[in-house]
Amino acid sequence: MNEFLPINKQEMLERGWDGVDFVYVTGDSYVDHPSFGAAIITRVLESEGFKVAVLSQPDWKSTADFTQFGRPRLGFFVTSGNIDSMVAHYTAAKRLRHDDAYTAGGVSGKRPDRAVIVYSNIIKSIYPDSPVIIGGLEASLRRFAHYDYWDDKIRPSILLDSKADLLTFGMGENQTVQIAQRLDRGENISDMRDILGTCYTCPTVETPYEGVECPSYENVLSSKREYAKSCRIQQDEQDHISGRRIKQKHGKTMVVQNPPMPPLTQKELDRVYSLPYTRAYHPSYEKLGGVPGIREVEFSITHNRGCFGACNFCSIAFHQGRYVTSRSKKSIVTEAEKLTRMPNYKGYIHDIGGPTANFRKPSCDYQLEHGLCKGKKCLAPKPCANLNVDHSEYLDILRSVRSLPGVKKVFIRSGIRYDYLLEDRDDTFFRELVENHVSGQLKVAPEHCSASVLDKMGKPHIEAYIAFSKRYFQYTGEVNKEQYLVPYLMSSHPGSTLDDAIELALFLKKNHIRPEQVQDFYPTPGTISTCMFYTGLDPYTMEEVYVARSEHDKALQRALLQYYNPKNHHLVEEALKRAGRYDLIGYDAKCLIKPGSKPGKKYKSNSNSSRTYKKRSKGKSGRR
């Protein structure tokens, strides 16, 4: 039976330890599953021979939790958890969330806002000489001066606000091990300025000569154009082959990002996922009802990292990188066999996926030597002519796992890049996906239908989704199944005008799609789209971009995507009149609403409300 790492002094003493090498502080409840970054980093440190305690969701209004293990021999690692603490706490409308999937019992309020800053400052106040290394998504995406949606202003690098000694960005395993080993050898953390995948601060007079300097904190504060320039530089230098050191001045201090750490090799990835995870939440949470966040991933397998899709609103390219690496078939099958022996296993493996499920290798041969192209995308607006498309290895893995004893079904719940799938001349994977790996509905992400909006999103044009949809329903009908498509949609993305939202509403009506939920664009740190939201500029062209900023303007666009819901009638009517589209108010089949309907009438959902009403060969289409 695998053991959890100690989460309090009593568990530390029960192991026979009188102290620890590292305290790993996290804003999440402790879940020892490889879908959780805290589990991976702590198990990697353990595998290198270090004694690690996990300080999960400490009380930040007191110092008691932070001192219970005593001063660690080597230092503290600090993260907000699996996601940014502000995203965990607030909706896109900045309203407080009522629950928290990464907290035992699903309760909210167990971590502070800006958890990395709060935790790190407390540690520095107690143990000023103890090394503090911050990492995880919150630190990684805030490593430079950045627009903060919740404060609606530019904040400095989180390194300065947190008073941390070092920041690791990206997935973090190798840089974490290097830091730990060098601390163990007695090296001062202030001298560790050469580790790839890390950021540090230094006086401006000690600024390294090599690299590229982006506009300073002071400049991006005063000029949105300068902010857009800094965003482009930061995005373009995140390739581990071609990326250069980046420097950004903050007053008399220089924030320095070393080039990215190369992604783990297949052998290294296999080792990371073979570590002795319990694949469960800590038993102390059982009386609270467990940790909800594990439910979707408990019987899921991560087979890859990185995403060359690189949508502009997604932070994966800035955090994990665009270079795709993957685990070996043997490693994945071994993990699947472990799942079949778990107590709660019911015969279903919920996912073999990752950031994008059907990526296994880098997008082309050119990048292997030169790195990924700067300022270009592999799939948008159209797939690159140099793209290597091959699903055979992934298909072989799926076939092997679904043939294991005890496996009834293997689903794919991670996102499928349908535009990449369409480029495969061999439709064997597509057909087997439809026949064997869809759990009633397949989630895909067209996001919008307007070409101009999709260009700002970095997504393929809607023709790709239409072509994919036709083939999906064709293959579904051929195997005599009734399955659905769930198209994710986004409203109010930078570049989306009221006319674009109306175009999307008409597309949904034409295709009998009735989304029950619509995601407003959420300006999170570290994305190109967030730069557009703040500056009103496309950082790659410096052209002006329309942005729906007010809550009312966002509500109009969101209502159009659910034009059929009576409670939205007054908003849809206002939007159509504002756009001069009186032709869409009436009794004709083309109209979105009828005139004179009373707003506020309760909309009654039914079992088909999230799906299309138009059957296609036993298939239907719909939304999330």
Side-chain angles (χ1 to χ4, degrees):
M1 179 67 179
N2 297 336
E3 284 188 286
F4 289 88
L5 297 173
I7 65 168
N8 52 47
K9 183 177 181 179
Q10 179 183 343
E11 291 186 4
M12 178 186 76
L13 295 174
E14 287 173 355
R15 282 197 168 211
W17 300 352
D18 56 5
V20 295
D21 297 321
F22 292 103
V23 174
Y24 188 95
V25 185
T26 174
D28 291 344
S29 292
Y30 176 31
V31 180
D32 187 33
H33 187 286
S35 291
F36 291 71
I40 288 179
I41 297 299
T42 53
R43 287 297 185 186
V44 166
L45 285 168
E46 179 192 46
S47 73
E48 295 294 327
F50 295 104
K51 295 178 181 178
V52 185
V54 177
L55 181 54
S56 170
Q57 297 186 324
D59 179 3
W60 68 94
K61 298 173 185 176
S62 164
T63 60
D65 284 348
F66 294 88
T67 59
Q68 63 179 302
F69 300 106
R71 186 185 191 278
R73 184 173 70 90
L74 298 175
F76 290 84
F77 287 94
V78 177
T79 177
S80 70
N82 255 21
I83 62 176
D84 188 286
S85 60
M86 301 302 286
V87 176
H89 292 168
Y90 301 97
T91 68
K94 299 184 183 180
R95 296 188 181 95
L96 194 64
R97 298 188 193 275
H98 300 298
D99 50 27
D100 187 337
Y102 295 103
T103 296
V107 299
S108 60
K110 292 295 184 179
R111 73 171 76 73
D113 286 355
R114 312 189 191 286
V116 168
I117 294 173
V118 174
Y119 294 155
S120 183
N121 274 277
I122 292 172
I123 294 165
K124 278 298 184 183
S125 70
I126 304 168
Y127 304 110
D129 298 326
S130 183
V132 174
I133 304 98
I134 58 175
L137 199 66
E138 181 165 307
S140 181
L141 300 183
R142 297 170 178 268
R143 55 192 185 265
F144 298 105
H146 56 279
Y147 171 69
D148 185 274
Y149 174 62
W150 303 272
D151 279 353
D152 192 26
K153 70 177 186 180
I154 302 296
R155 293 182 66 99
S157 166
I158 196 171
L159 259 174
L160 299 178
D161 279 344
S162 67
K163 301 182 177 65
D165 297 286
L166 210 57
L167 180 154
T168 64
F169 65 91
M171 299 306 284
E173 292 97 342
N174 283 345
Q175 47 268 58
T176 297
V177 169
Q178 286 189 33
I179 293 166
Q181 291 175 341
R182 289 168 68 166
L183 287 171
D184 193 36
R185 293 196 295 265
E187 187 173 340
N188 194 307
I189 195 165
S190 63
D191 296 329
M192 297 183 196
R193 297 181 175 181
D194 60 332
I195 299 175
L196 299 177
T198 65
C199 298
Y200 64 91
T201 60
C202 65
T204 53
V205 294
E206 298 176 14
T207 302
Y209 175 76
E210 304 85 358
V212 57
E213 187 167 347
C214 65
S216 68
Y217 170 60
E218 291 74 19
N219 282 355
V220 301
L221 266 178
S222 61
S223 169
K224 291 185 176 181
R225 183 168 287 272
E226 289 293 285
Y227 185 88
K229 289 179 182 177
S230 74
C231 174
R232 176 168 181 170
I233 291 170
Q234 292 156 19
Q235 294 286 336
D236 283 350
E237 302 300 334
Q238 297 310 315
D239 184 83
H240 73 282
I241 295 174
S242 63
R244 296 172 289 176
R245 179 178 285 112
I246 306 176
K247 299 164 284 188
Q248 187 177 51
K249 188 178 178 183
H250 288 60
K252 296 181 179 180
T253 299
M254 188 67 75
V255 173
V256 182
Q257 178 203 278
N258 287 325
M261 178 68 73
L264 298 188
T265 64
Q266 186 167 92
K267 184 177 180 180
E268 289 172 329
L269 266 179
D270 287 354
R271 177 179 175 272
V272 165
Y273 285 91
S274 70
L275 296 174
Y277 306 99
T278 62
R279 304 187 72 90
Y281 50 75
H282 191 275
S284 63
Y285 304 136
E286 192 64 46
K287 62 181 180 294
L288 301 173
V291 180
I294 197 174
R295 292 171 190 159
E296 281 295 308
V297 298
E298 185 176 9
F299 297 104
S300 296
I301 298 172
T302 300
H303 80 93
N304 66 6
R305 285 184 179 178
C307 181
F308 55 76
C311 301
N312 287 342
F313 51 79
C314 180
S315 62
I316 290 174
F318 195 57
H319 181 62
Q320 290 194 22
R322 294 166 61 196
Y323 190 92
V324 173
T325 55
S326 56
R327 295 166 60 188
S328 69
K329 175 183 175 180
K330 181 179 179 181
S331 171
I332 295 164
V333 171
T334 298
E335 184 173 350
E337 290 172 336
K338 289 179 182 177
L339 295 184
T340 64
R341 297 191 292 270
M342 290 179 63
N344 297 327
Y345 177 70
K346 306 296 184 183
Y348 300 96
I349 292 178
H350 296 156
D351 192 21
I352 299 180
T356 295
N358 56 326
F359 291 171
R360 280 287 295 171
K361 297 178 180 179
S363 57
C364 69
D365 296 332
Y366 175 86
Q367 67 178 275
L368 301 178
E369 182 179 352
H370 303 283
L372 283 136
C373 301
K374 294 182 180 180
K376 295 181 179 179
K377 296 190 181 295
C378 301
L379 287 166
K382 293 182 179 180
C384 176
N386 296 322
L387 194 68
N388 291 334
V389 183
D390 185 0
H391 289 88
S392 59
E393 187 177 75
Y394 186 37
L395 180 58
D396 179 53
I397 290 168
L398 292 169
R399 286 171 172 172
S400 296
V401 173
R402 73 181 190 233
S403 67
L404 291 174
V407 175
K408 298 177 182 178
K409 202 81 172 176
V410 178
F411 298 122
I412 299 175
R413 291 184 177 176
S414 301
I416 288 281
R417 278 302 292 241
Y418 56 82
D419 47 345
Y420 178 77
L421 178 56
L422 289 173
E423 293 299 301
D424 196 339
R425 296 180 180 179
D426 183 351
D427 69 351
T428 306
F429 170 74
F430 199 164
R431 288 181 177 276
E432 292 198 25
L433 166 71
V434 168
E435 184 171 4
N436 299 299
H437 302 292
V438 176
S439 58
Q441 54 187 25
L442 181 68
K443 299 175 182 178
V444 291
E447 303 293 359
H448 214 282
C449 71
S450 165
S452 61
V453 177
L454 290 166
D455 286 343
K456 296 306 178 191
M457 291 179 166
K459 296 285 290 185
H461 290 183
I462 195 63
E463 288 76 15
Y465 172 76
I466 294 171
F468 171 80
S469 175
K470 289 179 179 178
R471 285 177 60 183
Y472 176 81
F473 292 125
Q474 175 192 334
Y475 298 158
T476 296
E478 288 175 5
V479 295
N480 199 33
K481 287 191 172 184
E482 185 162 318
Q483 297 182 147
Y484 305 90
L485 273 183
V486 180
Y488 286 125
L489 302 168
M490 186 184 297
S491 62
S492 305
H493 185 276
S496 178
T497 65
L498 207 53
D499 287 336
D500 292 313
I502 293 169
E503 181 183 346
L504 180 53
L506 292 171
F507 174 83
L508 297 177
K509 181 179 177 65
K510 178 182 178 182
N511 289 277
H512 307 276
I513 301 171
R514 291 194 165 190
E516 288 188 344
Q517 296 177 5
V518 176
Q519 175 64 54
D520 275 349
F521 168 66
Y522 202 157
T524 55
T527 73
I528 296 169
S529 296
T530 296
C531 175
M532 292 188 218
F533 177 86
Y534 170 65
T535 65
L537 299 170
D538 183 328
Y540 282 87
T541 65
M542 288 300 176
E543 295 174 350
E544 291 188 2
V545 178
Y546 171 79
V547 179
R549 297 189 184 279
S550 74
E551 284 304 308
H552 189 65
D553 285 345
K554 293 178 184 179
L556 292 178
Q557 292 206 24
R558 185 169 58 250
L560 280 163
L561 274 60
Q562 297 175 310
Y563 64 89
Y564 50 85
N565 190 333
K567 73 177 184 180
N568 290 332
H569 183 276
H570 62 296
L571 288 171
V572 175
E573 183 177 40
E574 179 186 343
L576 294 175
K577 289 180 177 178
R578 185 186 291 189
R581 295 303 304 270
Y582 292 90
D583 59 307
L584 298 178
I585 304 172
Y587 297 95
D588 292 342
K590 68 174 184 177
C591 294
L592 292 178
I593 58 172
K594 297 176 182 179
S597 298
K598 293 182 180 179
K601 182 180 177 182
K602 189 174 181 180
Y603 167 64
K604 182 179 286 187
S605 179
N606 58 59
S607 61
N608 283 333
S609 60
S610 66
R611 302 160 181 165
T612 187
Y613 297 104
K614 181 180 179 182
K615 290 190 177 183
R616 293 193 184 118
S617 304
K618 291 280 185 178
K620 300 181 180 181
S621 164
R623 93 73 205 119
R624 55 178 170 181

